[in-house]
Amino acid sequence: MSRKLAAEFFGTLWLVLGGCGSAVLAAAFPQVGIGLLGVAFAFGLTVLTMAFAIGHISGCHLNPAVTCGLVAAGRFKAGEALPYIAAQVIGASVGAFLLYAIASGQPGWDIAVKGLAANGYGEASPGKFGFGAGFITEVVMTFFFLVVILGATSARAPAGFAPIAIGLCLTLIHLISIPVTNTSVNPARSTGPAFVLGGTALAQLWMFWVAPILGGVLGGLLHRWLSTEEEADARDRAAAAASARSATPEALAPMPAREPR
């Protein structure tokens, strides 16, 4: 468990440092700024790279909404959810403080002006979208994120391609929703910058916990309903395979008699 939590810590740190870092340090850098498209790809690449790096260790959740969605889908133990979420939040907070330490090294950089890629609605929204639009966006985007994650990692999905599908899905989500809320779909990603910034980002943080987790749980429940028949078929195939193995000549052959001493 300690290795899983360490993987979640470092993975979420990387997500905040890579995703938010691209927005803070590179999005509008003079003449070579990567813009909205670059930031969207940066977030997708952080998840894609970490999925390959730590997916075999912890599952690479990096996101309390993903953890809760997996629990709702019956794909993760509820008893392990809180430690995972704690590791994710701590990793995101450390990543945000590292980003602040780097960004503040630029002459004239002001956190009050530049921000830290925090999420928000109303006046804190990049496009000044209100609370309702922000809440709906976060629920819907996280819902589909879980649908893609659970589908791409199911037993009958093409093997080895899940990180690519998940990373590209997160990229698409950012392309849609950066203007609305600066894109959260991840309570830990929202918490790190909000802790550093305080003020409005911290006051609005509750919405970026409630909406993504609601969307994640709904996505998990939908996947559980959609895959019930598939899982039953998988259990039947496994049982049939086990019966076939037990019926092989080797399994039916009598045990050799022991030689007398």
Side-chain angles (χ1 to χ4, degrees), residues 246 248-256:
S246 65
T248 58
E250 292 81 1
L252 296 174
M255 294 291 292

Side-chain angles (χ1 to χ4, degrees), residues 130-143 180-181 207 211:
F131 169 81
F135 192 89
I136 293 170
T137 297
E138 291 295 325
V139 171
V140 172
M141 295 299 142
T142 316
F143 170 84
V180 184
T181 60
M207 195 271 271

Side-chain angles (χ1 to χ4, degrees), residues 23 51 121 127 177 254:
Y121 55 86
S177 59

